[in-house]
Amino acid sequence: GLNFIDLMVRQGNIDNPPKTPLVPGFECSGIVEALGDSVKGFEIGDRVMAFVNYNAWAEVVCTPVEFVYKIPDDMSFSEAAAFPMNFVTAYMMLFEVANLREGMSVLVHSAGGGVGQAVAQLCSTIPNVTVFGTASSFKHEAIKDSVTHLFDRNADYVQEVKRISTDGVDIVLDCLCGENTGKGLSLLKPLGTYILYGSSNMVTGETKSFFSFAKSWWQVEKVNPIKLYEENKVIAGFSLLNLLFKQNRGGLIKSVMDKLLNLYNNKKIKPVVDSLWALEEVKEAMQRIHDRGNIGKLILDVEKAPTPLMANDSTETSEAGEEEEDHEGDNENKERMPFI
């Protein structure tokens, strides 16, 4: 699975970035080839998906058994590689942190991305939940049915939300950071919860830029605890990778995965796969995420041969949007060739 956090790792925009050389990636799917002596519950040949603390973009991966889960019979490998990070993140923010209940409202940024689509699907499992989403305008046609109200990512979504819901929303899920932090807090109803789970505004170009990084942090509204107390608002942060690999909550994540797989087996949720890429095409795949051209999850497939590039090859988001509309009728897990 390819995630925005992988772009941040590449640019060093994370705490304690690993030393090179390294193999990136935090989730994968595949077939069990070998077992440790004390491993129980799995057999060689089992179809599995797993979290990995780096090294997921490899032909052979080793990870502790507590991070490995069996794949349902009717789930493809590409769906399985698209499942763990997005759906566990979305589920834990909505139900473990924000306590989503019937009749609540949720604002989610990047509604067309992997987590955004997982949030929308999980919200649909609870009655009368209103979902406000922001996304690039070319994605709107493809994702309009998954959210209640959809706004252009460059529009003044604060005014748009308040026009529809004068007192704001119950939950704000922010993967952007920067100036959106203050906007999100301003939209919270009393007893509402704002959750920061990413900072994609920190990634602005091909390389790490101190100035863009500093600008994004400068735009973050300084949170006054007294103001939170007076306005009855909750501010929270969520990092699945830290929860798994630094804070030893593998058991909690397993219980969440069990609930999610039950929802999948009951056809309540289904991962959205944007496209499949060969390992040699990782640069172009990362550029597609950087340009916010994807709808759902990008997957690196170790068995896929690179697609020959044409002279006018482009990953422009507007053209990627045309590609999406061309495939609006696709089924088969929405797997398709990379955009050319």
Side-chain angles (χ1 to χ4, degrees):
L2 186 59
N3 297 284
F4 208 95
I5 184 69
D6 297 311
L7 274 69
M8 299 185 71
V9 168
R10 188 185 79 180
Q11 295 192 355
N13 288 332
I14 59 169
D15 285 338
N16 302 313
K19 291 182 172 61
T20 54
L22 81 145
V23 178
F26 298 100
E27 64 183 338
C28 62
S29 64
I31 297 171
V32 175
E33 288 196 0
L35 300 169
D37 293 339
S38 59
V39 171
K40 293 182 173 59
F42 292 92
E43 296 179 359
I44 292 174
D46 281 349
R47 301 168 70 247
V48 297
M49 52 187 155
F51 291 108
V52 191
N53 193 11
Y54 293 103
N55 299 311
W57 299 354
E59 294 170 319
V60 179
V61 171
C62 183
T63 194
V65 68
E66 66 174 321
F67 302 141
V68 183
Y69 317 92
K70 290 184 179 177
I71 300 175
D73 291 340
D74 59 345
M75 182 185 281
S76 68
F77 282 118
S78 57
E79 279 187 317
F83 193 82
M85 286 275 287
N86 292 163
F87 275 94
V88 171
T89 295
Y91 187 97
M92 295 200 72
M93 290 193 300
L94 289 171
F95 298 107
E96 300 284 339
V97 181
N99 194 20
L100 177 67
R101 301 183 301 282
E102 181 177 353
M104 281 187 164
S105 55
V106 179
L107 169 66
V108 59
H109 294 297
S110 300
V115 174
Q117 287 291 289
V119 166
Q121 290 186 29
L122 289 169
C123 285
S124 71
T125 67
I126 305 297
N128 303 318
V129 172
T130 302
V131 181
F132 297 90
T134 70
S136 301
S137 58
F138 75 84
K139 298 184 183 182
H140 287 200
E141 183 62 30
I143 67 173
K144 63 183 182 182
D145 295 333
S146 66
V147 300
T148 319
H149 303 286
L150 191 55
F151 312 120
D152 186 274
R153 65 183 297 265
N154 297 314
D156 184 358
Y157 62 85
V158 174
Q159 293 306 314
E160 292 292 323
V161 171
K162 287 185 174 179
R163 181 176 58 80
I164 298 166
S165 176
T166 54
D167 54 349
V169 298
D170 295 293
I171 301 169
V172 173
L173 304 178
D174 182 10
C175 60
L176 304 177
C177 200
E179 62 181 343
N180 293 281
T181 300
K183 291 178 179 179
L185 284 170
S186 73
L187 280 173
L188 281 185
K189 293 179 180 179
L191 302 182
T193 303
Y194 163 94
I195 305 174
L196 181 71
Y197 71 98
S199 51
S200 63
N201 281 340
M202 303 296 179
V203 177
T204 57
E206 283 292 320
T207 58
K208 179 179 179 180
S209 165
F210 172 79
F211 295 105
S212 64
F213 191 83
K215 179 184 175 186
S216 293
W217 275 116
W218 184 255
Q219 290 173 328
V220 176
E221 182 170 301
K222 305 303 181 285
V223 177
N224 183 341
I226 300 298
K227 191 175 180 183
L228 291 176
Y229 151 74
E230 291 173 343
E231 296 181 355
N232 281 299
K233 293 182 178 180
V234 178
I235 185 168
F238 182 79
S239 166
L240 176 57
L241 296 179
N242 284 345
L243 207 61
L244 275 169
F245 302 126
K246 293 183 180 179
Q247 296 157 351
N248 302 315
R249 293 297 189 274
L252 172 60
I253 305 302
K254 185 181 186 312
S255 70
V256 169
M257 278 292 286
D258 289 343
K259 295 172 185 174
L260 287 167
L261 290 173
N262 186 51
L263 287 171
Y264 176 87
N265 289 328
N266 288 315
K267 296 184 166 40
K268 298 287 181 68
I269 59 174
K270 184 179 177 67
V272 178
V273 175
D274 175 82
S275 47
L276 302 181
W277 302 76
L279 286 176
E280 294 89 341
E281 298 169 325
V282 66
K283 178 185 175 183
E284 291 80 8
M286 286 184 127
Q287 189 65 44
R288 184 167 171 84
I289 291 186
H290 179 277
D291 293 341
R292 293 175 168 83
N294 59 302
I295 296 176
K297 191 66 161 276
L298 276 73
I299 301 296
L300 297 177
D301 185 346
V302 297
E303 295 183 345
K304 185 180 182 303
T307 305
L309 299 180
M310 296 166 63
N312 61 347
D313 177 56
S314 170
T315 52
E316 294 278 347
T317 54
S318 58
E319 296 185 25
E322 292 168 9
E323 172 75 357
E324 175 62 33
E325 290 176 8
D326 288 344
H327 291 78
E328 195 174 348
D330 281 1
N331 36 47
E332 290 302 312
N333 310 325
K334 292 242 179 219
E335 297 170 12
R336 59 179 183 272
M337 301 289 275
F339 175 66
I340 296 180

